[in-house]
Amino acid sequence: MSAKHAILTCCDEASGWNAAFLMSQLRQRTDTRSCVYYVFTDRALSASTSAMIKRYATLIRCEDVFDLDEFAPDGPDGAPNPARESFLVLFALETLTRIHSKVLFVDKFSFALGDGFDALFSYPFSAPAAAVRHISSWTLAESDKIPAPFKDRMPAGCERALSPALLLVDAAQFSETGIGQAAIADLRSEGGTSFSALNVAFADRWQELAPRWNWPMTEQMAIIGAMRPLQLVNFLGGRKPWSDNIGFFDVKYLTEITAFLTYEEREQDLQMIRNNGFQPHRERRRLRFLEGWSSNLVQNYDQIKDYIDREDFIDGGFSPASKLDLTSDLAAEDDQTS
């Protein structure tokens, strides 16, 4: 087994540049002498996309060694099967844990902000994996601990759900427990996504990383996390920096992405960003969105602050200086105003 650690993501043709961009970021934030970088795909990629990815990572086409159509065939009229990507992630983990001692999977729609990703491989953990809780579990409310649709299949007493957007796997424990094969079997019989399959397979056999390693970039969480030292953010939902037509996200994301695509001469992708990006005539729409969206920001923060400010994660938590108290800050402002 290689002493080097593996860092991987998965993509198709449409998200090929996302995978290449993420790998370019992570290569700058890890020791390239101790890490090997991989991109797995389930389809043939264009020559230009393949060449771009290979500048930053080893490209592995799943179909060359694994018949994905057997597990997740396309639907009628060629409709894409959402389970294909789930099988791809699981196949990648199964493959790389046979070669490397530790494997870090990062979702392609992530953006690295901080340095020190090598530290992830040095944290001592005694479980098959380490991950950040899924955002649905951050409130710590009894009814929110295990989100649908798979909570009925989780073991009794299980109180956590992990987010597979960043998953650090210990190869020896992963193989010994058969988690990968169990997840593939569950996905094959139940359908769904790798999120549900991995949660059922891992159950409580994982340890928690602080949310700075996988901060979910919804509109609400983008503001709450803005003043915290985040390592990696994951863009959930349809609004992403390259399709942000109301100019919500910090321009730093789009600036770095645009610079990368310009360097790679990806004119088609650059044109897509121009077409889907913010335009001055949308300013009124942007302001109306922000006006309605921000009304419950403090209430949402109050629901998750006890979780995000914990200090018992395996990597510690946010430093005291980086913790925010929106409630007290706003109260102080009210006192000054009055």
Side-chain angles (χ1 to χ4, degrees), residues 61-125:
R61 181 181 172 187
C62 179
E63 288 183 334
D64 291 340
V65 288
F66 184 72
D67 186 5
L68 199 59
D69 287 329
E70 175 189 351
F71 294 91
D74 288 336
D77 302 322
N81 186 333
R84 289 184 71 94
E85 183 173 3
S86 303
F87 276 111
L88 182 60
V89 173
L90 292 170
F91 169 71
L93 291 174
E94 276 287 297
T95 301
L96 296 181
T97 50
R98 298 171 185 172
I99 306 171
H100 300 278
S101 59
K102 289 183 180 178
V103 179
L104 176 66
F105 169 77
V106 184
D107 181 73
K108 59 184 173 292
F109 295 139
S110 299
F111 191 105
L113 294 170
D115 295 320
F117 276 77
D118 290 298
L120 278 172
F121 297 108
S122 63
Y123 293 132
F125 59 95

Side-chain angles (χ1 to χ4, degrees), residues 19 27 32 39-40 44 55 113 131-132 143 161 185 212 216 225 237 261 289 304 307 311 324:
R27 287 181 70 93
T32 56
V39 173
F40 280 67
R55 282 192 277 275
L113 294 170
V132 175
S143 60
R212 63 196 174 107
L261 293 175
F289 169 82
I304 65 172
Y307 170 72
E311 298 180 355
L324 305 178

Side-chain angles (χ1 to χ4, degrees), residues 2-49:
S2 172
K4 291 188 174 182
H5 303 126
I7 299 178
L8 80 110
T9 194
C10 300
C11 75
D12 56 15
E13 175 67 30
S15 58
W17 72 262
N18 298 97
F21 172 70
L22 176 63
M23 288 294 108
S24 73
Q25 283 196 308
L26 294 176
R27 287 181 70 93
Q28 296 174 38
R29 292 165 168 81
T30 50
D31 182 358
T32 56
R33 296 168 298 178
S34 62
C35 294
V36 183
Y37 308 84
Y38 297 91
V39 173
F40 280 67
T41 180
D42 68 327
R43 307 279 193 185
L45 302 179
S46 66
S48 60
T49 298

Side-chain angles (χ1 to χ4, degrees), residues 4 14 17 23 30 70 95 99 112 129 141 170 172 176 181 211 219 224 235 254 266 292 325 336:
K4 291 188 174 182
W17 72 262
M23 288 294 108
T30 50
E70 175 189 351
T95 301
I99 306 171
D170 177 79
E176 290 171 3
Q181 290 298 325
E219 286 89 349
I224 294 175
F235 293 97
L254 191 57
R266 301 282 292 189
D325 188 344
Q336 292 177 0

Side-chain angles (χ1 to χ4, degrees), residues 25 170 183 211 252-253 293 295 308:
Q25 283 196 308
D170 177 79
K252 67 183 178 184
Y253 300 113
W293 159 84
S295 60
I308 62 178

